[in-house]
Amino acid sequence: MPYFDAASSAPLHPVARQALLAALDEGWADPSRLYREGRRARLLLDAARETAAEAVGCRPDELVFTPSGTRAVHDGIAGALAGRRRAGRHLIVSAVEHSSVLHAAAAHEADGGTVTEVPVDRTGRVAPDAYAAALREAPGGVALACLQSANHEVGTVQPVAEAAEECAAADVPLLVDAAQSLGWGPIEGNWSLLTASAHKWGGPAGVGLLAVRKGVRFRTVQPADERESGRSPGFENLPAIVAAAASLRAVRAEGAAEAERLRGLVERIRARVPELVPDVEVVGDPERRLPHLVTFSCLYVDGEALLHELDRAEFSVSSGSSCTSSTLTPSHVLRAMGVLSEGNVRVSLPRGTAGADVDRFLEALPGVVAGVRERLGAPKPPEAAAGPAPEPEPEPELVVDSLGKRCPIPVIELAKVIGEVPVGGLVTVLADDEAARLDIPAWCEMRGQTYEGERPAERGVAYRVRRRT
């Protein structure tokens, strides 16, 4: 069964497995002790730290191991904010950061700090001048800025080096969440702090990295002990750390060739999916992106149903769609990009993925999507018009009551009735599903209709669409 969700967690690399088993025999003792077994464990820990630091591009004494990537993010943000409290209490993040960064930002706000979210374009990329503007226009002193190296949902690579230059000019440290990209290569630019997670590159779960460059003001917030420079208390999971470092070195050694191979497979998916499946939007930057990840959204499809059907067809994929969550809230990444959220599929290929598995996925996908659409009563793809439609006088608007209905039903009902109003006429969709705020404008853009905004209704929200085609 092809596993296409490496962005969530990559399969354990063979080198990681070998290193883990060896370290279980050799690295079980306390590395802080001076007897023989402790010294042996210390040698393994020091070697792992040197290997990881070389991959990160920092000094070994600037890097500590944490119990997870999320813990590294939370400790890194909290420590930098605490160390620079005199400089200010303002935090800058991009609108598409991983939830661990956004949760830390929310905690900072709850503690009395302030936060700016820098917007992204439709590909999910932050503009360096937008980062510069956020630094310049911040209310009060900026303590820290955060920017991911590449997006976890759509694969877009961020301009970290340019953002780091802007931060350096403003004398603000930049924390980079490198979880998705560290296994593919070093992070360019003059960043100040960096975090990563081993299970994203094929290491074992439960190992994170936190690098803090010398000169960055940093104060550990939680109670400290003598381990990991006082920045990550508790007994080190030495076998997992050794396996994480060994696998990072291994994937880096094979990274260039494997990245080129997987990029070709992803290009095949990006090109073929819109040809095979009607009403699909491929999202993310087509060029500046991770080599193994592609995301697309299908109109008129329930994301949860689509993922279940792909699983029945023996393909493991994930989604940023609101329909995969009981909260009915669209992915914050897709929302920030302003793209379609319904029927969202993220394919992230692990190392070693065979081209034949990608071909089988492309063969299965059209039938799976068509089956889900048929069950939901989705409209058939429209035929090409012979010429521009006439422009008669607008008539009274048509109201569609989709209250209490989950995505993508409000969009399906809109698509079914849009032809019942004349060109220039209005359709108002009443909906209380948060996803409608994103998906109805996205449908209008894909279908050449005009979205005229929203207004409060007695229940839910009224979304107004004017027919243009």
Side-chain angles (χ1 to χ4, degrees), residues 122 274 277-283 296-300 338-342 373 382 411 438-451 469:
R122 197 170 173 82
V277 182
D279 299 322
V280 164
E281 181 178 18
V282 180
V283 300
F296 54 89
S297 298
C298 307
L299 268 178
Y300 317 131
V339 298
L340 185 70
S341 75
E342 64 186 61
R373 284 174 172 167
V411 177
L438 184 62
D439 290 344
I440 289 177
W443 178 87
C444 291
E445 181 161 334
M446 293 177 71
R447 280 276 162 260
Q449 312 297 353
T450 301
Y451 178 64
T469 61

Side-chain angles (χ1 to χ4, degrees), residues 123-457:
T123 70
R125 190 172 189 269
V126 169
D129 56 354
Y131 235 82
L135 291 164
R136 186 172 57 251
E137 299 167 6
V142 179
L144 178 68
C146 300
L147 182 62
Q148 59 191 189
S149 56
N151 187 259
H152 51 292
E153 287 192 26
V154 300
T156 298
V157 172
Q158 300 293 354
V160 169
E162 294 92 331
E165 289 181 9
E166 299 291 352
C167 289
D171 195 26
V172 173
L174 177 67
L175 182 147
V176 177
D177 170 17
Q180 286 297 334
S181 68
L182 187 63
W184 297 107
I187 309 305
E188 303 296 335
N190 188 27
W191 49 265
S192 303
L193 302 95
L194 183 142
T195 63
S197 187
H199 72 101
K200 302 292 188 180
W201 66 68
V207 179
L209 306 181
L210 170 61
V212 182
R213 290 199 189 277
K214 297 295 182 183
V216 176
R217 291 188 176 276
F218 190 95
R219 180 168 64 85
T220 303
V221 176
Q222 61 188 335
D225 61 19
E226 71 279 3
R227 300 180 189 276
E228 294 302 297
S229 303
R231 291 177 179 169
S232 185
F235 198 94
E236 298 94 345
N237 185 351
L238 186 54
I241 288 172
V242 170
S247 58
L248 181 55
R249 179 168 55 192
V251 298
R252 281 290 192 84
E254 63 196 30
E258 186 65 356
E260 183 177 359
R261 192 183 71 84
L262 293 181
R263 187 175 290 275
L265 296 179
V266 166
E267 287 290 358
R268 190 184 308 173
I269 297 173
R270 291 183 66 91
R272 292 290 291 151
V273 166
E275 297 173 354
L276 297 170
V277 182
D279 299 322
V280 164
E281 181 178 18
V282 180
V283 300
D285 195 302
E287 300 295 334
R288 293 170 294 196
R289 57 175 176 80
L290 292 171
H292 68 305
L293 193 155
V294 56
T295 298
F296 54 89
S297 298
C298 307
L299 268 178
Y300 317 131
V301 170
D302 179 296
E304 187 173 2
L306 180 56
L307 263 60
H308 281 314
E309 289 303 313
L310 285 171
D311 182 59
R312 286 163 60 91
E314 299 191 335
F315 295 99
S316 301
V317 300
S318 65
S319 173
S321 171
S322 60
C323 302
T324 64
S325 169
S326 60
T327 64
L328 300 185
T329 302
S331 151
H332 71 279
V333 172
L334 302 178
R335 184 171 62 243
M337 294 167 61
V339 298
L340 185 70
S341 75
E342 64 186 61
N344 180 260
V345 175
R346 180 185 69 179
V347 175
S348 48
L349 307 178
R351 289 170 170 81
T353 296
D357 287 338
V358 170
D359 291 338
R360 284 207 307 114
F361 174 77
L362 292 172
E363 290 174 5
L365 183 66
V368 169
V369 174
V372 175
R373 284 174 172 167
E374 184 176 1
R375 288 202 303 273
L376 292 172
K380 300 296 183 181
E383 297 181 1
E391 294 273 357
E393 289 295 320
E395 295 182 4
E397 65 185 271
L398 177 64
V399 177
V400 177
D401 186 351
S402 292
L403 294 169
K405 299 176 181 177
R406 291 182 56 180
C407 70
I409 300 302
V411 177
I412 290 176
E413 293 183 341
L414 167 62
K416 285 182 173 179
V417 304
I418 192 72
E420 297 178 14
V421 299
V423 173
L426 280 170
V427 176
T428 295
V429 182
L430 301 177
D432 51 10
D433 181 358
E434 178 65 23
R437 179 168 283 114
L438 184 62
D439 290 344
I440 289 177
W443 178 87
C444 291
E445 181 161 334
M446 293 177 71
R447 280 276 162 260
Q449 312 297 353
T450 301
Y451 178 64
E452 297 210 337
E454 63 180 68
R455 65 177 182 225

